[in-house]
Amino acid sequence: MLTITKANKQYCERILTKVGYRLGLTILPKLIYRKVEYTYYAGLSSRAKTYKNRHNPDRLKGIAFYRPMRIYINIRMHKDKDELKDTIIHELIHFKFKKMNHCKRFFKFIEYAKSGHYKRIRDYYNKEILQT
């Protein structure tokens, strides 16, 4: 299990910058790590003792907030840095394709990003999304 340290936060920022620009995102979201910030952006009361399962920050690895351009990363839920990198890539794919759910194509894009084939993702975006 990872802990919230300065080194882990810097690692997250490096991955966010590297992958975000390679995906073609012009504006990168800000990473947040604290529950207090999560409850603020999720629109929940900071005094709430119980959360719905999908809103419980202790059970989430990451979540994307589009309007304030934030990604909540729960570093403590990750076993190693590879898993942390996968979560950041997952959330950045959500930013690239805002209307795409967790379908086969979504997970294919995650695999492309992990293997470094960013051009395939950008080509799909330019051909399918921008022409409609």
Side-chain angles (χ1 to χ4, degrees):
M1 229 162 90
L2 296 175
T3 58
I4 300 175
T5 62
K6 187 175 181 179
N8 285 338
K9 287 182 179 182
Q10 288 173 342
Y11 175 78
C12 291
E13 293 291 337
R14 280 195 311 269
I15 296 299
L16 177 82
T17 304
K18 178 181 171 183
V19 175
Y21 284 129
R22 287 185 179 175
L23 284 173
L25 295 172
T26 54
I27 301 172
L28 294 177
K30 181 182 175 193
L31 291 174
I32 56 174
Y33 308 97
R34 295 177 24 214
K35 279 191 216 178
V36 174
E37 292 176 277
Y38 167 81
T39 54
Y40 174 77
Y41 291 116
L44 303 171
S45 169
S46 60
R47 296 180 187 188
K49 300 292 182 197
T50 58
Y51 299 91
K52 296 178 184 174
N53 283 343
R54 67 187 191 129
H55 290 295
N56 188 343
D58 295 326
R59 295 184 181 188
L60 294 171
K61 288 187 178 182
I63 189 168
F65 297 105
Y66 301 118
R67 286 294 166 184
M69 291 288 292
R70 303 285 192 268
I71 294 177
Y72 170 73
I73 298 291
N74 188 352
I75 293 179
R76 293 184 187 115
M77 286 286 293
H78 297 86
K79 295 175 187 171
D80 55 8
K81 288 191 175 184
D82 289 336
E83 191 177 327
L84 187 60
K85 180 180 178 180
D86 293 347
T87 301
I88 293 171
I89 289 172
H90 178 102
E91 299 307 332
L92 285 172
I93 297 289
H94 277 302
F95 270 99
K96 183 71 175 176
F97 303 100
K98 290 184 177 76
K99 295 183 180 181
M100 187 180 288
N101 294 328
H102 293 135
C103 58
K104 287 182 182 179
R105 182 173 287 146
F106 179 84
F107 289 107
K108 188 182 285 188
F109 287 157
I110 290 175
E111 291 303 317
Y112 286 158
K114 284 185 199 176
S115 59
H117 298 308
Y118 297 101
K119 188 174 184 323
R120 290 183 180 181
I121 300 169
R122 289 192 307 264
D123 289 346
Y124 172 82
Y125 183 79
N126 292 333
K127 183 169 58 171
E128 299 291 327
I129 303 298
L130 294 179
Q131 290 181 0
T132 58

